[in-house]
């Protein structure tokens, strides 16, 4: 069994996929071909955001947003403690300080009470300026943007939505990638909408920021790539990747998202009495980047993972180490007492095989194996 079966997806999409790839090779428009603009238009329309600017990956997308806001030395950016490394890495990369915030134990997203306490503590100390909040839509579920927006307004901070895992999710009818002042996503192959390599995109309604993003992505270009008016980077989405995403996007938006809701519901029906299953808030809709359960403690979690592996079933621990414990951030000297939930969850979570092409008997094989382990 595959953790996320991209081979099965390719078989399903093969005829259109092969045609689109061949088309790019025939046109040899490998950099900024027309497929890139076509994809950007489709994704902007889908998310309901005015501008979509594609780039090389989800990490660059986050960094480019911070560059547009001119965030740097002396600035603090608040980031959930439980996320992929990128969400914090980009803050240090622009010489600002990432301040990690504990998470909600049921949704895995940033905890707004802890966030406000840390913002106030920072204002009292007066050493750093609180500038932005990077809210992550972890495992596919949007963060609580209603509350986040109130906090951002109160303290005059920007919201950067990291929807690398959240593309396709929504709150009521409002789509992920539309909640931030700037929002980003990743097309890394295993993400909800993945390409066949690296890729990313940035979303904003702000015309000025969109123009700046397009410049920063291409060496800080002015009138052309050879007229350079600011220091930028080389961060573009390949035409081949755009073509692959154009082949995948209709299936993703019209079918795969629905299939994933059904697969998640089946998992939950089978597991709800034996482990803590995912909790999706009322009115929220997850894009199911991961289906993550919680076990009672680390020994049970690690034991279950080993047992699944022995039965040929893959699983993964997202995330083994909270951000504040990563050696790369050591010099920021975080207080471990600020992170009880992230510390606990890093020891108890386990993500199960999950993808839209999973068959019912495969789900049952996974859930029966989990049940037989827990009965021992
Ligand atoms: C994957 C991921 C990223 C980075 O995306 P890349 O395309 O791999 O650079 C950023 N944030 C989160 C939450 C992610 O899961």
């Amino acid at each position: 069994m595959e953790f996320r079966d991209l081979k099965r997806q390719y078989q399903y999409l093969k005829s259109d996929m092969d045609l689109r790839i061949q088309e790019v090779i025939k046109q040899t428009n490998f950099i900024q071909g027309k497929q890139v603009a076509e994809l950007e238009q489709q994704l902007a329309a889908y998310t309901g955001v005015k501008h979509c600017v594609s780039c090389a990956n989800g990490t660059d997308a986050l960094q480019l947003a911070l560059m547009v806001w001119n965030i740097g030395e002396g600035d603090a950016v608040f980031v959930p403690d439980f996320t992929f490394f990128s969400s914090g890495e980009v803050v240090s990369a622009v010489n600002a300080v990432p301040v990690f915030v504990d998470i909600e134990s049921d949704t895995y997203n940033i905890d707004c009470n802890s966030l406000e306490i840390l913002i106030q503590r920072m204002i009292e100390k007066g050493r750093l300026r609180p500038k932005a909040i990077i809210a992550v839509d972890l495992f596919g579920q949007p963060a609580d943007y209603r509350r986040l927006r109130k906090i951002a307004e109160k303290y005059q901070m920007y919201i950067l939505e990291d929807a690398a895992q959240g593309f396709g999710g929504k709150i009521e009818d409002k789509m992920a990638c539309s909640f931030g002042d700037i929002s980003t996503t990743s097309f890394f192959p295993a993400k909800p909408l993945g390409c066949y390599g690296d890729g990313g995109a940035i979303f904003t309604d702000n015309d000025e920021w969109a123009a700046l993003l397009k410049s920063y992505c291409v060496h800080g270009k002015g009138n052309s790539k050879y007229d350079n008016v600011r220091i930028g980077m080389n961060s573009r989405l390949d035409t081949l990747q755009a073509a692959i995403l154009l082949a995948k996007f209709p299936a993703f938006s019209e079918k795969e998202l629905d299939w994933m809701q059904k697969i998640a519901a089946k998992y939950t029906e089978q597991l709800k009495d034996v482990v803590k299953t995912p909790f999706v808030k009322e009115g929220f809709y997850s894009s199911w980047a991961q289906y993550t359960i919680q076990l009672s403690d680390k020994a049970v979690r690690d034991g279950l993972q080993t047992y699944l592996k022995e039965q040929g079933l893959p699983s993964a621990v997202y995330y083994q180490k909270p951000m504040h414990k990563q050696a790369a951030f050591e010099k920021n000297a975080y207080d471990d007492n600020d992170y009880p939930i992230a510390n606990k969850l890093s020891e108890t979570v386990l993500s199960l095989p999950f993808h839209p092409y999973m068959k019912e008997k495969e789900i049952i094989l996974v859930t029966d194996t989990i049940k037989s382990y827990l009965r021992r």
Side-chain angles (χ1 to χ4, degrees), residues 56-60 62 83-84 86-87 136 138 162 164-165 185-188 191 198-200 319:
N57 57 69
T59 308
D60 283 1
L62 291 166
T83 177
F84 181 62
S86 289
S87 318
V136 179
L138 206 76
D162 178 355
Q165 301 182 15
T185 196
S186 162
F187 305 123
F188 181 84
K191 306 284 172 164
D198 279 311
Y319 293 92

Side-chain angles (χ1 to χ4, degrees), residues 59 105 252 263-264 323 354:
T59 308
S105 63
F252 174 78
I263 291 162
M323 298 287 269
F354 195 96

Side-chain angles (χ1 to χ4, degrees), residues 343-359:
N343 280 337
K344 173 162 182 272
L345 291 178
S346 63
E347 299 192 334
T348 58
V349 290
L350 190 66
S351 299
L352 304 179
F354 195 96
H355 57 84
Y357 299 85
M358 220 172 161
K359 301 191 174 95

